[in-house]
Amino acid sequence: MTRFHQQLDDIMADSLQAMLVVPVTASRDGGIAGDHDLVAIIGFAGDSLRGCVGVAANLQAVLAVHPLGLDADRRGRPAEDWLAEIANQVLGRVKHRLSGYSMEIAPSTPVVLRGLQIRVARARPGPPQCYKAATKGGSIIAWIDVTTPIADDFELTPGATADAAPGESFFF
Amino acid sequence: MRKVVLVIDDSATVRGQVRAALDPSYDIVEACDGIEGLDRYRSSRVAMIICDVNMPRMNGLEMIEQLKVDGCGIPIVMLTTEGQTALIARAREAGARGWIVKPFNPDLLRKAVDKLTVSA
């Protein structure tokens, strides 16, 4: 794993922790290939990198962190929708962090895959670095998969400005 | 009579969060993208709009630029994961009165809506 990818993974871990506010642990044990029945994917592209953020979970784990409660599904706010929003907001935090290094990425619209046992592999070689968030309904696993021509010895260095941070607001 | 707030976001959960933050003081009308948002605005008596940026079919910035062309004068607040200065400036140019980067604080949102709808 390159230094650049390690930095991205660290940013990913911080972003997941900040988004879900539950304990997050790193895992290289192939956790991406778990018995998940929902996976949200949101793609992104920039000048020097493209890829996706993935978030995998079972229904009960998603409902355990659903802001509208365990019966959100019944009230027309599906778990799949919140998993997609988790992916969206995690990528938003990653995007904010990258902007501090003068790297801009544009996100796509998230999509959710449903299945009985979804197994996901990453594009880049090496053991998957993924992050497990422990919820009362089970684990939520997230990862970032990046394709980039950036050289192995590249490191992110602070830039001049950063985007507005998650939770910030402005009124004109 | 309660004022109507139009909430435009492709996430049903976020629309539900905004609804929960503004209940029971406001009537909420929902739309899931910019095209539907324009339709709802034109067919409802809307006092304020809360709008996402990244959405399918028509994004939030394109939508509020169209509203400006239509002469819309009601307050608009953007609610999005985006935080780029250039996008915030574009929204302001199109008439937006506020920009909130998700996740949002429900109390802050309600106070902003209360303040912005006073004269609406």
Side-chain angles (χ1 to χ4, degrees), chain B residues 56-118:
Chain B
R57 297 210 297 168
M58 175 186 278
N59 72 44
L61 291 171
E62 293 168 338
M63 193 205 75
I64 67 170
E65 286 166 348
Q66 182 58 53
L67 287 174
K68 185 178 182 183
V69 170
D70 290 354
C72 169
I74 65 171
I76 300 169
V77 169
M78 309 306 289
L79 177 61
T80 174
T81 57
E82 294 283 358
Q84 277 182 272
T85 307
L87 296 181
I88 297 171
R90 183 177 161 191
R92 189 174 183 176
E93 176 67 22
R97 300 281 301 280
W99 186 284
I100 300 173
V101 185
K102 295 175 183 174
F104 69 94
N105 177 322
D107 290 336
L108 181 145
L109 182 69
R110 191 172 53 251
K111 286 174 183 169
V113 172
D114 288 345
K115 187 174 179 181
L116 290 168
T117 55
V118 162

Side-chain angles (χ1 to χ4, degrees), chain A residues 39-43 53 80-81 83-89 107-112, chain B residues 10-11 54-56:
Chain A
V39 178
I41 300 290
I42 183 166
V53 163
E80 293 93 328
D81 179 81
L83 192 67
E85 188 61 19
I86 290 172
N88 183 38
Q89 292 195 27
S108 69
T109 300
V111 296
V112 176
Chain B
D10 56 337
S11 166
N54 295 320
M55 296 182 289

Side-chain angles (χ1 to χ4, degrees), chain B residues 4-67:
Chain B
V4 177
V5 176
L6 173 57
V7 181
I8 308 164
D9 198 303
D10 56 337
S11 166
T13 304
V14 173
R15 298 196 305 271
Q17 287 180 289
V18 174
R19 179 184 286 275
L22 300 182
D23 264 351
S25 303
Y26 296 90
D27 284 334
I28 306 297
V29 173
E30 297 185 24
C32 64
D33 60 43
I35 298 285
E36 197 173 87
L38 287 174
D39 287 345
R40 295 282 188 275
Y41 168 74
R42 289 164 179 160
S43 62
S44 308
R45 185 185 41 79
V46 175
M48 181 174 169
I49 296 172
I50 297 170
C51 185
D52 190 12
V53 170
N54 295 320
M55 296 182 289
R57 297 210 297 168
M58 175 186 278
N59 72 44
L61 291 171
E62 293 168 338
M63 193 205 75
I64 67 170
E65 286 166 348
Q66 182 58 53
L67 287 174

